[in-house]
Amino acid sequence: MNRKKTYIGIAVIVLVFGIIVIPKIIDRVMKGEVVKNDRLNVVDTDTVENTGELSYININGKDRKVPHFEFINQDGDTITEDTYKGKVFLVEFFFTRCPTICIPMNKNLVRIQNEFKDNPNFGIASFSIDPEYDQPEVLKEYTEQYGITDPDWNLMTGDREKIYELANVGFNLLAQENPDIDGNFQHSGLFALVDQNGFIRSRRDDFGNPLIYYRGFIPDGTPETEEGETSQIAILIEDINKLLNKNKKN
């Protein structure tokens, strides 16, 4: 009799879970909240320690490197991955008419730019996912608007398909057109950290998992969001310093 009551109790719990929880999960998936940041950034923790060497991002047995690219920057110069050879640099995907996450993303990058303004071994690579509009003159105006002064910060435009391939395949960072949202484009709000040899690097969490990418869309110093996320700009600055200082020792 007691066993029968136990089974009935379990059944009731499962039923309640199905009625209350599952519809909420489905609703989040439909709204894109579950995967809105990036499908590769699976670590969901803010207890990330800066201990030990930064991790390499290993995919199918290979440490992931920045793939080849060749685009035009805000000054009309041709920029490739070799432009950043020997430098620690950050990668983002954005567009100048973005009304949402690009604003805090690039303000955060300006803060990082100013942190390393006297270091010639640091750079930033920003790729526009709206290249038809974001021509060099538009990108140049954007640099003036945001106070982008680092000569090693290139805002790039070029062939749309190649930029989208670089984002979605090369970095596995979401970039796509989406007419149903403000700005008509959807993209990841994450930054990739690349070392002097072109490898994507990150710190590990308390369980030994690589963080992979860093949240760039949350303004530095803001409190925890409703989703329990906090800014990772401070830890990103720590990790940039770690790579730069390691190069000095070598």
Side-chain angles (χ1 to χ4, degrees):
M1 186 66 178
N2 288 338
R3 182 178 297 178
K4 185 176 181 180
K5 288 182 178 179
T6 299
Y7 290 156
I8 292 173
I10 293 173
V12 169
I13 292 171
V14 171
L15 179 61
V16 170
F17 180 87
I19 293 173
I20 297 176
V21 178
I22 292 178
K24 291 183 179 180
I25 295 174
I26 294 174
D27 182 60
R28 288 189 67 201
V29 172
M30 292 300 290
K31 292 179 179 178
E33 294 178 356
V34 172
V35 294
K36 68 180 180 182
N37 292 334
D38 185 72
R39 57 185 179 277
L40 230 184
N41 194 21
V42 295
V43 179
D44 185 21
T45 178
D46 289 304
T47 57
V48 185
E49 299 297 333
N50 194 25
T51 57
E53 185 174 345
L54 295 180
S55 172
Y56 290 87
I57 309 305
N58 191 280
I59 306 294
N60 297 324
K62 293 184 178 180
D63 293 333
R64 174 158 284 193
K65 293 191 73 171
V66 174
H68 171 69
F69 64 82
E70 184 174 328
F71 300 112
I72 303 299
N73 74 355
Q74 68 269 27
D75 296 315
D77 298 327
T78 299
I79 305 297
T80 73
E81 74 281 7
D82 287 337
T83 302
Y84 293 93
K85 189 173 182 179
K87 297 181 185 292
V88 174
F89 68 101
L90 299 177
V91 170
E92 69 154 349
F93 292 88
F94 84 114
F95 61 108
T96 63
R97 293 188 290 182
C98 175
T100 54
I101 63 173
C102 294
I103 298 172
M105 285 172 66
N106 283 301
K107 286 183 177 180
N108 283 336
L109 284 177
V110 167
R111 189 225 156 166
I112 296 172
Q113 164 199 260
N114 295 338
E115 186 79 19
F116 298 99
K117 63 181 179 180
D118 297 322
N119 196 320
N121 297 315
F122 174 74
I124 300 174
S126 299
F127 300 92
S128 172
I129 63 171
D130 184 14
E132 289 83 3
Y133 179 82
D134 287 339
Q135 294 297 301
E137 60 272 15
V138 174
L139 295 174
K140 187 69 173 179
E141 183 178 346
Y142 192 81
T143 65
E144 295 169 358
Q145 177 186 350
Y146 274 81
I148 296 171
T149 57
D150 189 337
D152 293 310
W153 185 345
N154 296 289
L155 288 74
M156 287 169 271
T157 186
D159 182 81
R160 173 192 287 259
E161 290 186 7
K162 290 181 180 179
I163 291 175
Y164 278 48
E165 181 180 8
L166 180 67
N168 292 303
V169 180
F171 283 93
N172 206 22
L173 288 170
L174 175 66
Q176 64 182 21
E177 289 188 73
N178 188 342
D180 297 325
I181 64 173
D182 291 342
N184 298 321
F185 293 92
Q186 184 174 7
H187 63 96
S188 169
L190 304 174
F191 297 151
L193 173 61
V194 184
D195 70 13
Q196 293 91 335
N197 298 310
F199 288 99
I200 301 173
R201 306 289 293 273
S202 77
R203 66 173 63 188
R204 294 181 181 273
D205 66 13
D206 289 344
F207 304 99
N209 301 308
L211 180 69
I212 304 181
Y213 298 128
Y214 299 76
R215 296 188 197 111
F217 61 95
I218 301 177
D220 185 45
T222 60
E224 188 176 282
T225 67
E226 292 181 359
E227 290 80 17
E229 296 172 318
T230 57
S231 174
Q232 293 179 330
I233 302 306
I235 68 170
L236 177 54
I237 289 173
E238 289 180 9
D239 291 350
I240 292 169
N241 271 314
K242 194 164 193 177
L243 289 176
L244 290 171
N245 290 335
K246 181 182 178 182
N247 192 52
K248 286 181 182 179
K249 295 176 182 178
N250 293 338

